[in-house]
Amino acid sequence: MPGRTISFHPDDRYAAFLRTIPEAPCGDGRLAAVPVAVKDNISTAGIETTCASRILEGYVPPYDATVVERLKKAGAAIVGKTNMDEFGMGTTTENSAFWPTKNPVDPSRVPGGSSGGSAAAVAAGLVPLALGTDTGGSIRCPAAFCGIVGLKPTYGRVSRYGLIAYANSLEQIGPMARTVADVNLLMEVIAGHDPRDSTSRDCPYHHAPDPEIRGVRIGVPEEFFGEGVDPRVASVVWDAISLLERKGAEVITCRMPSMAYALAAYYVTCTSEASSNLARFDGVRYGPPADTKKPWHEAFQERRREGFGEEVRRRIMLGTFALSSGYYGKYYAKAQAARNNVRADFERLFREVDVLAGPTMPTVAFRFGEKSDPLSMYLSDILTVPANLAGVPAISVPCGKVEGLPVGLQVMGRWMEDERVVDVAYAFEQGGSA
Amino acid sequence: MTVIVGLEIHCQLDTATKLFCGCSTDYRDDPPNSHVCPVCLGLPGSLPKVNKKAVEYALKVAKALNCEVPEESEFSRKNYFYPDLDKGYQITQYDKPLAVCGYLDIEGDEGEKRVRITRVHMEEDPGRLVHKGGADRPKYTLVDYNRAGIPLIEIVTEPDLRSPKEARRFLNKLRATLEYLGVFDSEKEGSLRVDANISLAGSERVEVKNITSYKGVEKALTFEVTRQKNAIRRGQKIVRETRHFVEARGVTTSSRSKEMEQDYRYFPEPDLRPLRVRDWAEEIEIPELPDSRKQRFIDDYGLSPTHAATLTGDWQIAEFYDSLPADLKVSTATATWVADTLLGELNYRDMSIRGVPLDHFKELLIIRQSGDITEKAAVEVLRSLLDQIRESGTCELPRQCIGRLGLFAIAATEEGADDPVTAAAREAIAENPQAVADFGTGKKEALNFLVGQVMRKTRGCAKPGDVNRVLTRLLSGDE
Amino acid sequence: MITERDTEHIGQLADIAIHREELALFTSRFNEILEYFDILDTVEAVKEEEERSYNILREDEVVPSLSQEEALANTTGPEEGFFRAPRVM
Ligand SMILES: [Zn+2]
């Protein structure tokens, strides 16, 4: 219905939103008048889109991302753009150039990242549904930390057109919500083939979650409970897996040796791609302008130094180094070989089991400032990056608490079997014994 | 000293849309930044999608250049920072090009020559920069992205060329081949750019960039050969460097000064999937190319190899010749007229075969063949028509022009005394008693002189055969 | 080991200016991370049949472009339909 809007005046005490739309247009369809929050790295026509970076301040896209088009077609109201780590580079949303977002469960802690704004908006009850993006865990981590559900779809199942690229070969847009059923609904709306995205696959998603889990073989890689995983988190997750076993699933422990270098492969790949993706922010076509009184390189360097935060500059430099002549073989090429090995590990395991399960994050949500050096921050992504490297679907579903803080159960599935990870999460969410 | 030249040629493929988006390539007469979209502006979040026609065209080129098409090729990113690059990188092909290991046969300095092609790959054109400001105002740059994303093919040769002239011949042959394929329009401004590597045997190699015309290649290389020879003669060493060709001055200048060693940090373009087009390349049909057409002109029309080469060296001219009536095509006179007269007159005016109404010239040829105008008059009409086109872009119909200039051939009747040819002959005889006397003593040149006089009096509209016949009759005293 | 000079060089290559005072910390963190990346030296590639898609192509059909006004909407101080950039000559 043309001209229809919904009013949106949330009490955003956790600073989940970068901007909200007080009167958000909506229409008819499966999501008629449902408020949906959209992460700020997803292009929205006529609504400022910054990736939480100074370098894109004031940028108003002239077009909608494919997922936003799909939301609008389903009648949803885009009510705001959510905070994030700048360009998705972070695990806490502290790397936003504007402000940090607080965890609604415990405001002294981070919501996780990089889709921390979307997770907080859902967890605080400001919206029922939100879009996040997941390059190395950026949907699943904040879902786990804030106690909601988040799905990273199979690579190619959801269009990336309009998603401002951080690491093209790894990232997917995905649904975040308080329940598996809502995640499933949002996934139905956003998934599907998009001819504008050459990496998009023609594999629509129409699914009614099925809690029946009898006979499902669940693999549990030992490496997911290794060094660095908080034993209390491990214990909560094992309890969750045991519940699934009691409901009829078969649990099989297994090994995933490529975990040894998966994180390094991930960081080399994502920084390499980022170093190239972020070269376009030169202040010529959009964003705060470059100083045209200076020579090009000087103006450009200055624009980038002022416009990018420290972590972004670090990753651009890491990626530049990894691709530079003399180092390409040692870093980028090796990372791709490692990535193949991760894929091979998944393929081998998925011949024996139907899904893999383990913790989403090694710990519960950090306190602000707790992870001060970059490497220790990177290490917290160890459990989420394998699914991105292999392009397989992975979901995080709340499975309990440690000292009042949520823990996420991660379920990873075969390529294009997003439905199955949703079903396993749904089975767990239904709880009890069947 | 042996001259060693290798070329890298960039040609715009004549597709309707850009390489990675649906923007029209027909931008030349339009305002800046009016043929752009999120993709070719490099707006955040946009994604490229490969134009099938561009791949098809590139494969045709690969096939025409006798290349091998590998099982798989892919696009890569070439990373460098420059305002004409909308994304901060150029999507090109690097270690997995579309086609490799081909060749093109040309007429070399010492006969037929095979020039090896190293590779053929696809890439996107950058935008266009306009440099503003100057001594009194701060300098800055204006950018137009209409050209950004136009599909290019880059053709790289082995260093097989041995002179600037050979390089020019190679380019002409390549252009003809691309135009026969219908994938390239050489008339479009900036549709061809050449970088040349040139060295003298035993010396370092110099790269000359920024050559944008066919003539420019020969000029730039000739300049370089001289410069390098002189340097060596003076005992200097040739340094390995990149130089820029300044077309207006016909010189190359060193551009080493501030150019840091470039590290393009190539890696596979993650937004695109690889190409597997070997089978497609095998199926793809390519039209008759210059060499086989030349042979056909020799075999079917009986033309000399030289005429056949000239007439097939440009697709438009070859098409024109092929469109002539059958009885005209087999005539040496027609071949001479098109290859020498028509092309000569065009060349003289620096005009191209494009943009001239070829149907008019076909008609002129038919009129000429019929004898309604003389050879001399035909040339005059041709010149007039070309001058009109150059002035105003259009011209009269040939018959109109002939009529206006009064150039229809004047017929001499067999016996009548009143026709203008006979009248002019009588006048010539009356005015030149000495010549008549010489003729009487058997001097053949005297007749030629009188023929010339008659031709002048009839402004070239009398047919030489008639004049000869009438003069001979009058002089031999048949009347 | 990466030295501060290397960090500066990488900054140049990446066209990112680094403040002098940041250099030491940037370099030491860079080294920690690169040391961690060294584990990649142990990777032995397996030959693996990857599920792939290829020849993803579109037809050569013109779709409407943005208007010049839309194209220039996000830039500051366009001039006669052009974007303005710092000098390169
Ligand atoms: Zn475009």
Side-chain angles (χ1 to χ4, degrees), chain A residues 68-85:
Chain A
V68 173
E69 273 180 2
R70 284 172 172 265
L71 282 177
K72 287 182 174 174
K73 238 176 103 187
I78 311 295
V79 295
K81 302 298 292 285
T82 55
N83 199 14
M84 55 187 283
D85 288 297

Side-chain angles (χ1 to χ4, degrees), chain A residues 59 62-63 160-164 168 195 197-199 276-277 279-280 285-286 292 296 300 320 323-325 328, chain B residues 38 41-49 77 79 81-83 86-87 89 139 145 263 265-268 270-271 273:
Chain A
Y59 169 63
Y63 74 103
R160 290 186 297 116
Y161 195 85
L163 161 60
I164 300 179
N168 327 50
D197 175 359
S198 301
T199 62
S276 173
N277 289 328
R280 68 183 66 193
R285 293 163 303 280
Y286 41 80
T292 55
W296 165 254
F300 187 50
T320 301
L323 290 173
S324 65
S325 77
Y328 183 93
Chain B
L41 266 187
L43 291 191
S46 65
L47 294 172
K49 180 109 185 238
R77 289 187 184 179
N79 294 288
F81 304 105
Y82 214 63
D86 48 278
K87 300 181 291 296
Y89 54 85
K139 289 182 190 157
Y145 293 102
D263 184 347
R265 291 165 283 128
Y266 289 98
F267 72 104
D271 286 331
R273 303 303 304 155

Side-chain angles (χ1 to χ4, degrees), chain B residues 300-312:
Chain B
D300 293 5
Y301 307 152
L303 303 188
S304 71
T306 313
H307 272 159
T310 308
L311 293 172
T312 56

Side-chain angles (χ1 to χ4, degrees), chain C residues 10-84:
Chain C
I10 300 162
Q12 285 295 323
L13 194 55
D15 240 318
I16 280 195
I18 299 174
H19 292 288
R20 286 229 144 269
E21 59 272 22
E22 294 177 306
L23 209 51
L25 193 57
F26 244 100
T27 304
S28 72
R29 292 195 156 154
F30 227 88
N31 276 315
E32 280 169 34
I33 296 163
L34 291 179
E35 203 174 301
Y36 181 78
F37 287 174
D38 279 344
I39 185 121
L40 289 172
D41 292 342
T42 67
V43 173
E44 279 174 48
V46 291
K47 182 82 187 144
E48 174 245 6
E49 238 2 86
E50 194 194 330
E51 199 283 333
R52 312 194 76 175
S53 66
Y54 44 83
N55 294 353
I56 308 298
L57 305 167
R58 67 178 172 84
E59 296 301 322
D60 187 26
E61 285 159 7
V62 175
V63 296
S65 298
L66 296 171
S67 68
Q68 191 194 61
E69 194 189 346
E70 288 170 312
L72 299 170
N74 275 291
T75 192
T76 312
E79 186 171 315
E80 288 162 7
F82 290 89
F83 292 96
R84 273 169 62 105

Side-chain angles (χ1 to χ4, degrees), chain B residues 18 21 23 35-37 39-40:
Chain B
K18 294 186 178 182
C21 64
C23 289
H35 288 255
V36 293
C37 71
V39 176
C40 57

Side-chain angles (χ1 to χ4, degrees), chain A residues 55-282:
Chain A
I55 211 157
L56 271 173
E57 245 183 319
Y59 169 63
V60 178
Y63 74 103
D64 272 327
T66 300
V67 290
V68 173
E69 273 180 2
R70 284 172 172 265
L71 282 177
K72 287 182 174 174
K73 238 176 103 187
I78 311 295
V79 295
K81 302 298 292 285
T82 55
N83 199 14
M84 55 187 283
D85 288 297
E86 185 177 3
F87 286 104
M89 298 181 181
T91 312
T92 63
T93 312
E94 290 167 293
N95 289 341
S96 166
F98 301 110
W99 51 74
T101 294
K102 299 186 188 84
N103 191 325
V105 181
D106 175 354
S108 71
R109 290 178 186 263
V110 301
S114 65
S115 312
S118 287
V122 170
L126 307 181
V127 287
L129 305 174
L131 290 183
T133 67
D134 191 314
T135 309
S138 285
I139 285 174
R140 289 160 287 158
C141 159
F145 282 5
C146 293
I148 65 164
V149 187
L151 169 67
K152 182 207 87 78
T154 299
Y155 187 80
R157 197 130 192 207
V158 177
S159 169
R160 290 186 297 116
Y161 195 85
L163 161 60
I164 300 179
Y166 156 29
N168 327 50
S169 74
L170 296 159
E171 62 205 3
Q172 277 285 289
I173 297 170
M176 304 175 81
R178 283 187 291 278
T179 65
V180 175
D182 280 354
V183 158
N184 184 73
L185 170 65
L186 186 51
M187 180 67 180
E188 285 192 309
V189 170
I190 62 171
H193 181 240
D194 179 7
R196 288 180 295 190
D197 175 359
S198 301
T199 62
S200 162
R201 297 303 189 99
D202 193 1
C203 190
Y205 183 93
H206 302 294
H207 184 59
D210 178 1
E212 179 55 74
I213 194 142
R214 267 175 295 188
V216 174
R217 295 167 301 171
I218 300 175
V220 182
E222 284 174 19
E223 290 81 358
F224 276 69
F225 293 87
E227 196 192 333
V229 178
D230 182 333
R232 299 168 302 169
V233 168
S235 153
V236 169
V237 170
W238 264 120
D239 287 349
I241 293 169
S242 304
L243 177 105
L244 291 170
E245 193 171 26
R246 284 199 302 283
K247 291 181 77 167
E250 187 186 343
V251 174
I252 301 154
T253 55
C254 54
R255 300 283 325 262
M256 200 166 179
S258 62
M259 285 289 281
Y261 41 70
L263 191 75
Y266 169 77
Y267 270 96
V268 168
T269 303
C270 73
T271 57
S272 294
E273 292 180 10
S275 73
S276 173
N277 289 328
L278 270 55
R280 68 183 66 193
F281 304 108
D282 56 14

